[in-house]
Amino acid sequence: MSYTTKTSPAVFPRAAHPAVGRWAGGAVLVSVTAVLAVLLTRAEDGLPHVLPGYTAWQDEMYANVPQFLRWWIGDATEAEFFKSAIGGLGMIAGGWLAHAAWRRGRRWAGFPISYGTGLWPWLLGSAAFGLLLSDLAWGWTIPATGQWQPTFVPFVSVPPVVVLVYGAGWSVAATGAVLGAALTTPVALAMANYFCHPLHLPTVIGNVTGMWVGALLAFLICRHLPWMPRPLSAEQSAEPAEPPAPEPDERGGVWVVRRVLADFTEAQFYGNEIAAIGLIGGTLATYLLNPLTPVYGSGHGLLPAMLTAQVLAGTLAVLLYQRRWAAFGWYPTFVPVVSVAPAVVLTYGATVEAVVFGAVFGAVAGPPLAALISRRLPPDFHPFIGNVVSMTVCTLIAIPVLGLLPGFVSTL
C-alpha cells in the first residue's frame, strides 16, 4: 500500500513561470512566519498566564478527569513538538471539516484527508483509543520520573497505519489500538530513558524508534491474527473518482503554501491544510494564553523559533522535491518538519543558526532517505516505517554533528 494524494488541476491555475511562482510562494510563507516569530518573541514577557504552565499541567494530569482528558487531547499534537489541547481540538475539528467537505466534493476541501481513502473516522478512532490506552497504561511513568515521557506515540504510529493497511472495521481499529499501546509506547519509553537521556540526545530519537520497531512487530503479528482481513490493495485504498494529480508546471506558489501547511498533519496521517490551520492556530492560541504551556514549559521564544524552523524545513523540502510529488503523487517532505528541524531548536535553543542549519539538513536528507527505505518494505508493511526510520537516522546524525560547530551549545 502506498500514499496517494490527488488534487484537481482546476485548483492550481497554470503559471507562466511556475518555478518562480513556487519559490516566491515559499519565500512569502517563510518571511511571514519569521516576522510572526519575532513579534511573538518580543511579546512573550507581556503575555498572560491564563492556562496552567506545562509543569503544573504535567503534575496535575492524574489529579482529576478533566485534567487527564486535557492531557490526552494535548498528546494529539506531540508529534509536532507541541503540547496543546486547543491545538489538538483544532486539528481534529479541521480534520472533520476536511473529511466532510471531501465527501461532498467541495473544491475547498484541500488535499484529500488521509490520502483520499475515506478511512479518516476509523483512523481517528483507532489512534484516539490507542492513545487513551497508552496514557492509562504508561502515564504513571511521568510522575514516577518527574519528566516528560513519550506516551503519545500510538496516536501517530501503529493504530492509524493498521487501519490504512487493513481497512475499516471495529476489529481492525481495536487491534491497532491495543498493539500500539502494547508495543510502541514501551519501546519508546525504554529508548528515551535508557538511551536519549543518558547521552543528552533529543527524545524524538526514542519516540520514532519506538514507532518503527513497534510497527514492524505489529505487522508481523497481524499476519497471524485470524480476525484480521486481507490487506487492502493499492487500488482498493485509492478513490478512482478523484481527478488526476496536476502536472509539475501547474504547481505554483499557492500549491507550495498549501502543501507545507498540510505537511504539519502528515504525522497524524491527515495530510490536509485545513486540519493544519486548526493545529497551528490552536497552538498559537495556547502560547498567547501562556507561553510556558505549549513546548514543555520552555519560554525564551522557543515555540516561535521552532515553528519558523519547521516552516523553513517544509518549504525547502517541498521546493526541492516537488518533481517527486508530480511523479509519485505523494512524497515524504514532512519528515524534517516533525524531526530534525524542531529537534535542533529544542537542543540548541532559539538561535538563527539552529533554525537554519536544522531546517536545511532535514530538508535535504530526510525525504529521500525515507522514500528509499519505504520502497523496500513488504506490501503489508505501511511505508510510514521508512519515514520514521529516516527521522531516527537524520536526527541521530544532525544533533552530534552540529554540536561540533561554533555557536551550537546544547541546552539539554
Side-chain angles (χ1 to χ4, degrees):
M1 180 178 177
S2 61
Y3 296 122
T4 305
T5 301
K6 305 169 185 173
T7 315
S8 171
V11 177
F12 309 114
R14 187 180 297 272
H17 302 286
V20 174
R22 285 192 293 270
W23 283 92
V28 169
L29 178 61
V30 172
S31 299
V32 170
T33 305
V35 170
L36 177 63
V38 171
L39 295 176
L40 289 172
T41 302
R42 291 181 176 178
E44 182 176 313
D45 292 337
L47 293 175
H49 287 204
V50 176
L51 294 176
Y54 177 82
T55 302
W57 185 13
Q58 177 177 276
D59 293 340
E60 296 173 1
M61 67 168 291
Y62 278 131
N64 51 60
V65 173
Q67 288 296 341
F68 178 82
L69 291 176
R70 181 170 165 246
W71 184 272
W72 174 53
I73 296 171
D75 268 352
T77 67
E78 286 273 12
E80 285 76 20
F81 288 64
F82 308 151
K83 180 76 172 186
S84 169
I86 302 175
L89 289 174
M91 180 186 68
I92 294 170
W96 174 83
L97 183 62
H99 176 72
W102 172 79
R103 296 275 296 184
R104 291 168 173 78
R106 300 290 190 263
R107 288 170 56 86
W108 52 266
F111 290 96
I113 193 163
S114 298
Y115 322 112
T117 60
L119 293 171
W120 180 79
W122 290 101
L123 182 150
L124 173 62
S126 183
F129 185 37
L131 176 59
L132 179 62
L133 293 177
S134 178
D135 278 333
L136 290 173
W138 303 103
W140 61 268
T141 59
I142 297 173
T145 61
Q147 58 189 1
W148 178 89
Q149 298 294 325
T151 55
F152 80 96
V153 289
F155 194 81
V156 290
S157 58
V158 170
V161 296
V162 166
V163 171
L164 286 172
V165 169
Y166 287 94
W170 293 106
S171 61
V172 172
T175 299
V178 171
L179 290 176
L183 299 174
T184 309
T185 307
V187 175
L189 287 168
M191 287 293 297
N193 291 288
Y194 299 109
F195 179 75
C196 297
H197 291 319
L199 296 179
H200 302 288
L201 293 170
T203 52
V204 63
I205 296 170
N207 306 343
V208 293
T209 300
M211 293 177 197
W212 62 261
V213 171
L216 288 173
L217 294 173
F219 283 120
L220 287 173
I221 292 171
C222 284
R223 286 177 172 178
H224 303 284
L225 296 178
W227 61 84
M228 293 296 284
R230 293 176 62 85
L232 298 176
S233 66
E235 290 75 17
Q236 288 175 301
S237 63
E239 278 293 322
E242 284 292 317
E247 296 299 322
D249 60 357
E250 293 174 320
R251 298 172 185 269
V254 174
W255 181 86
V256 169
V257 173
R258 293 176 60 201
R259 188 59 252 165
V260 173
L261 287 175
D263 274 356
F264 271 84
T265 61
E266 281 287 354
Q268 288 85 0
F269 305 93
Y270 291 11
N272 177 268
E273 59 269 47
I274 300 175
I277 290 171
L279 166 66
I280 298 170
T283 302
L284 290 177
T286 300
Y287 180 86
L288 293 174
L289 293 172
N290 188 344
L292 298 181
T293 298
V295 186
Y296 317 116
S298 302
H300 310 295
L302 198 63
L303 176 63
M306 187 175 289
L307 187 60
T308 303
Q310 290 172 306
V311 170
L312 178 59
T315 302
L316 289 174
V318 169
L319 290 171
L320 289 173
Y321 300 112
Q322 64 86 21
R323 291 185 181 275
R324 306 290 178 87
W325 269 98
F328 302 118
W330 189 88
Y331 202 70
T333 48
F334 81 102
V335 166
V337 175
V338 292
S339 58
V340 180
V344 170
V345 173
L346 190 63
T347 303
Y348 295 111
T351 67
V352 174
E353 295 91 340
V355 169
V356 173
F357 278 84
V360 171
F361 180 89
V364 171
L369 179 59
L372 179 68
I373 297 169
S374 296
R375 285 197 296 268
R376 285 158 174 77
L377 293 171
D380 59 338
F381 281 47
H382 196 275
F384 112 98
I385 294 172
N387 303 337
V388 288
V389 171
S390 175
M391 295 177 197
T392 304
V393 173
C394 291
T395 308
L396 196 54
I397 293 172
I399 298 299
V401 169
L402 290 177
L404 302 176
L405 302 178
F408 288 86
V409 179
S410 176
T411 61
L412 296 180

